[in-house]
Amino acid sequence: MKEIKTENYKVVDTVKLTEKDTYEDFGASKKKLKKELKNIRKDLGDFQDTLYAHGKYGVLVCLQGMDTAGKDSLIREVFKDFNVRGVVVHSFKVPSTLERKHDYLWRHYIDLPERGKFSVFNRTHYENVLVTKVHPEYILGENLPNVESVDDIDDGFWERRYQQINDFERHIADNGTIIFKFFLHLSKEEQRHRLLRRIRLKQKNWKFSPGDLEERKLWGQYEACYEEALNKTSKEHAPWFVIPADNKKAARVIVASIMMEALKKYKDIAEPELDDEIKANLETFKQELEKETT
């Protein structure tokens, strides 16, 4: 299996999605990729235990991608070895009436990870510069001051929103949230195959929506919006990674590898030391318990 060079997926300069690969297999079989993921996710699970004991950081994992990009299955497979209380998944749908009474970041802020835990955002705060940019009429539902019609949503509006997102991420990073942002880069042809599979397989029918076909017609617009968002919001404290997603097994290995490599750099994350007095009396405590009769 070829070496996984995680830096190749990080957005550090201007990225053009049409020039980025959507398929990778590292010259490895599906079986080999599955084994590789199993090893990495075990390490991630162990790290989360230490993260919880340390209690000073939380980890936010953001997943974005076109429909059928593989977000759900990636979450299932990458986080399989976590303590179930150590990772919380949030899937953000159309905002509720309550959520619309707050600013667009509110519902994301309240679902940020507790210290010691991972939160996974399946679709994220970036929907507010993606789907709303393709469908600006959705912004009118936010009932914002000075936005009476789509004509009021100009380039300046989007620039301010990018800056607000950058400020939000800077703030949470400064306060102990480690941020990963993954764009699952799917080809249009692979999406076609996956949508057909949902139609052909009865057990997958529930996943299919005619609306998927309508959104597919806007592929070019979505790609342009993703490109702009990636370029304007990939920062050192909150980097974007473009993950080739046509091969789900390889995509999972890449995501897990990127996280594990970055998290290992936090040398301060370690299990806390026992109080000196408790440590000095461990043998006494052990003997006391061993003397107990059942």
Side-chain angles (χ1 to χ4, degrees):
M1 179 172 168
K2 297 177 185 175
E3 180 185 0
I4 300 174
K5 297 181 178 179
T6 60
E7 67 273 12
N8 290 347
Y9 305 100
K10 187 176 181 180
V11 177
V12 291
D13 296 310
T14 302
V15 67
K16 192 164 182 61
L17 289 176
T18 55
E19 297 175 357
K20 303 292 285 186
D21 292 334
T22 60
Y23 182 89
E24 179 59 85
D25 62 14
F26 303 106
S29 66
K30 291 181 179 180
K31 185 177 180 180
K32 175 63 177 174
L33 289 169
K34 187 175 181 179
K35 183 178 180 181
E36 182 71 13
L37 176 60
K38 185 177 180 180
N39 293 335
I40 302 169
R41 75 185 180 206
K42 174 65 168 59
D43 291 340
L44 280 170
D46 291 343
F47 179 88
Q48 192 278 316
D49 286 339
T50 304
L51 183 83
Y52 182 82
H54 183 250
K56 292 189 177 182
Y57 293 94
V59 179
L60 174 63
V61 180
C62 299
L63 297 177
Q64 285 287 160
M66 303 288 197
D67 291 331
T68 78
K71 297 182 291 297
D72 291 335
S73 61
L74 185 148
I75 293 168
R76 182 186 69 239
E77 295 300 325
V78 169
F79 298 95
K80 187 176 286 187
D81 288 339
F82 275 54
N83 183 314
V84 293
R85 294 189 299 176
V87 58
V88 183
V89 179
H90 304 278
S91 296
F92 294 100
K93 307 296 184 182
V94 175
S96 67
T97 300
L98 173 62
E99 289 167 345
R100 288 184 186 278
K101 290 183 179 294
H102 296 268
D103 71 274
Y104 69 94
L105 287 173
W106 177 78
R107 65 176 181 159
H108 304 285
Y109 196 96
I110 61 175
D111 283 333
L112 288 172
E114 300 173 26
R115 301 189 193 281
K117 294 187 178 183
F118 280 63
S119 282
V120 182
F121 284 5
N122 183 352
R123 297 194 182 277
T124 73
H125 45 294
Y126 282 93
E127 291 290 287
N128 297 285
V129 289
L130 293 169
V131 66
T132 55
K133 198 168 186 184
V134 175
H135 299 282
E137 64 275 14
Y138 293 172
I139 293 291
L140 302 180
E142 295 183 22
N143 202 28
L144 295 171
N146 304 315
V147 178
E148 303 298 331
S149 72
V150 171
D151 293 337
D152 296 322
I153 307 169
D154 55 13
D155 289 343
F157 175 91
W158 298 114
E159 287 298 324
R160 289 190 296 277
R161 192 153 276 200
Y162 290 131
Q163 188 57 53
Q164 290 159 4
I165 289 173
N166 284 331
D167 290 343
F168 166 67
E169 292 176 350
R170 176 78 266 180
H171 170 68
I172 64 175
D174 285 347
N175 284 275
T177 300
I178 302 168
I179 306 169
F180 295 100
K181 301 184 298 192
F182 299 107
F183 170 58
L184 302 185
H185 187 28
L186 186 73
S187 69
K188 192 174 183 180
E189 180 62 11
E190 179 61 22
Q191 188 196 58
R192 185 176 75 89
H193 287 302
R194 293 182 185 181
L195 288 172
L196 282 170
R197 186 168 181 266
R198 289 182 177 183
I199 294 172
R200 289 169 177 161
L201 297 180
K202 188 175 180 179
Q203 66 270 32
K204 299 288 184 181
N205 284 172
W206 67 273
K207 288 188 173 184
F208 180 76
S209 167
D212 295 338
L213 300 184
E214 292 304 309
E215 292 300 285
R216 179 174 164 80
K217 295 174 184 176
L218 304 172
W219 186 278
Q221 292 182 52
Y222 273 107
E223 190 169 66
C225 290
Y226 267 111
E227 214 169 78
E228 185 167 15
L230 295 172
N231 289 327
K232 289 184 178 293
T233 62
S234 188
K235 307 296 180 182
E236 193 56 37
H237 61 276
W240 274 107
F241 295 88
V242 177
I243 310 299
D246 285 2
N247 182 347
K248 288 186 178 183
K249 285 183 168 53
R252 296 164 191 164
V253 171
I254 296 168
V255 167
S257 298
I258 288 170
M259 287 195 293
M260 196 68 255
E261 183 176 301
L263 292 171
K264 283 180 178 178
K265 295 177 182 177
Y266 286 82
K267 302 300 183 184
D268 58 323
I269 298 179
E271 293 180 0
E273 291 285 335
L274 283 174
D275 178 89
D276 288 342
E277 184 176 350
I278 295 175
K279 190 185 298 184
N281 287 283
L282 282 178
E283 184 61 31
T284 302
F285 300 141
K286 186 183 77 169
Q287 291 175 7
E288 181 180 337
L289 287 167
E290 288 176 343
K291 288 177 181 177
E292 288 185 10
T293 57
T294 58

